[in-house]
Amino acid sequence: DKPGDQVRAGVPHVFPPMPDGAAGNRLGLAQWLTQPDHPLTARVAVNRLWHQVFGHGIVASLEDFGSQGAWPTHPELLDWLATEFVTIGWDQKRLLKTILLSNTYRQQSTVNPELLARDPNNTLLARGTRYRLSAEVIRDSALSVSGLLSDRLGGPSVRPYQPPGLWTEVMVADDSYSGGKYVPDQGEDLYRRSVYTWWKRTCPPPSLNAFDAPDREFCTVQRSRTNTPLQALVLLNDPTFLEASRTLAERLLITNASQEDDWRIRQGFRAITGRVPKANELTILTNALK
């Protein structure tokens, strides 16, 4: 009720101006965000990729690059990665390959008392990082190691295993509503990548939810990490993990019928963890098998 000066779509004056000819709409905004001299977009993007690889970002606060956010631990590295990202045409795979082939990423994660005292959180990256995998990666990795994971791309969402009755507890619908019932799929669809999982915000997939996957009720920029007994219960009892473990066991027995148990344990351990078992680990697993 108090009209003032007329205003038009634009950007704050502290940022670079809009590109010449850019419209005041979403396309113009996208063109402005990806200008080579834009100071923010590439930095935010490479920081998220760094977090994906190392478990923490060069800027710890992924969601806040402002004055209230964390200061970058390696400012010059962040600048170089951002500049390189723009130079190679915003090619994420190429940038990830550069990071993964670096000496920093290929370090061992073993730690000595001196390093632990000087840098307990490995902020300075003097050793390889150890961190919790995301919920989707945990599920997909188990299926991949067992040989069950489907590599088919695209297609409609799928419904993997879910505890019976869970869906109906949160649904209020009659039989005419197709979303009122949850019927697990069969065959290959049970083993599609987690990105294809049918998702309802009021009833997120419980096995993923136990490993801190967001329920998607709100936008989540950085996931939380918890340690709860439910996570162990999922790995020990969820049908997906039971089938994956059983299938891996069958492969070890059938394809290596002439080998001894000791050899099979080593092969299974290496397939799951990416390393050979230590002597005490081998003893524990051998005793468990017996």
Side-chain angles (χ1 to χ4, degrees):
D1 62 349
K2 296 179 182 178
D5 297 334
Q6 184 177 359
V7 296
R8 293 178 173 83
V11 297
H13 69 278
V14 296
F15 287 111
M18 294 283 283
D20 293 337
N25 54 23
R26 287 184 294 178
L27 175 60
L29 176 64
Q31 294 170 340
W32 174 71
L33 285 171
T34 53
Q35 286 187 103
D37 61 341
H38 193 290
L40 193 59
T41 309
R43 283 176 171 81
V44 172
V46 300
N47 191 60
R48 293 190 65 81
L49 293 176
W50 191 270
H51 177 273
Q52 181 178 335
V53 172
F54 288 97
H56 55 79
I58 298 175
V59 176
S61 53
L62 300 186
E63 72 286 358
D64 191 349
F65 267 62
S67 60
Q68 301 300 313
W71 189 256
T73 57
H74 301 75
E76 294 180 353
L77 174 60
L78 182 64
D79 287 348
W80 183 86
L81 287 170
T83 305
E84 181 72 5
F85 193 36
V86 175
T87 302
I88 62 178
W90 306 83
D91 190 332
Q92 295 189 65
K93 288 186 176 180
R94 185 171 170 183
L95 186 70
L96 279 171
K97 183 177 181 180
T98 300
I99 296 173
L100 296 179
L101 292 178
S102 66
N103 290 335
T104 303
Y105 177 76
R106 293 187 292 172
Q107 295 179 105
Q108 291 186 350
S109 58
T110 52
V111 58
N112 57 50
E114 181 184 358
L115 275 180
L116 189 61
R118 292 183 60 185
D119 188 13
N121 296 322
N122 198 29
T123 304
L124 301 178
L125 299 171
R127 61 186 184 274
T129 53
R130 293 187 284 182
Y131 57 92
R132 174 77 53 79
L133 297 175
S134 64
E136 296 86 346
V137 174
I138 291 174
R139 177 181 177 273
D140 292 359
S141 295
L143 292 173
S144 178
V145 168
S146 70
L148 287 173
L149 184 67
S150 169
D151 59 1
R152 180 162 60 93
L153 297 178
S157 298
V158 294
R159 301 191 181 198
Y161 294 113
Q162 189 175 104
L166 182 65
W167 194 265
T168 56
E169 289 183 9
V170 298
M171 286 300 302
V172 180
D174 55 34
D175 293 338
S176 64
Y177 174 51
S178 60
K181 296 181 180 179
Y182 188 94
V183 180
D185 286 314
Q186 298 180 355
E188 181 189 19
D189 285 347
L190 286 172
Y191 312 117
R192 299 293 306 279
R193 290 172 53 210
S194 298
V195 69
Y196 296 111
T197 297
W198 178 283
W199 204 290
K200 190 171 184 63
R201 288 192 296 271
T202 54
C203 186
S207 62
L208 300 181
N209 197 235
F211 286 97
D212 305 315
D215 58 17
R216 302 187 184 179
E217 289 279 2
F218 306 97
C219 177
T220 302
V221 181
Q222 186 169 2
R223 295 188 181 187
S224 60
R225 287 181 184 157
T226 62
N227 293 303
T228 74
L230 287 176
Q231 293 164 349
L233 289 171
V234 169
L235 297 179
L236 289 168
N237 297 283
D238 186 274
T240 298
F241 291 96
L242 289 177
E243 292 185 0
S245 60
R246 186 183 69 217
T247 305
L248 176 60
E250 290 175 353
R251 289 178 58 194
L252 292 172
L253 288 169
I254 295 173
T255 60
N256 307 287
S258 61
Q259 299 290 343
E260 298 294 330
D261 288 339
D262 179 84
W263 188 91
R264 293 195 188 99
I265 290 174
R266 293 177 185 272
Q267 289 296 106
F269 191 97
R270 185 172 184 180
I272 295 169
T273 66
R275 63 176 177 85
V276 296
K278 300 175 183 177
N280 64 321
E281 293 170 332
L282 186 61
T283 300
I284 292 171
L285 293 171
T286 303
N287 291 336
L289 178 62
K290 291 179 178 178

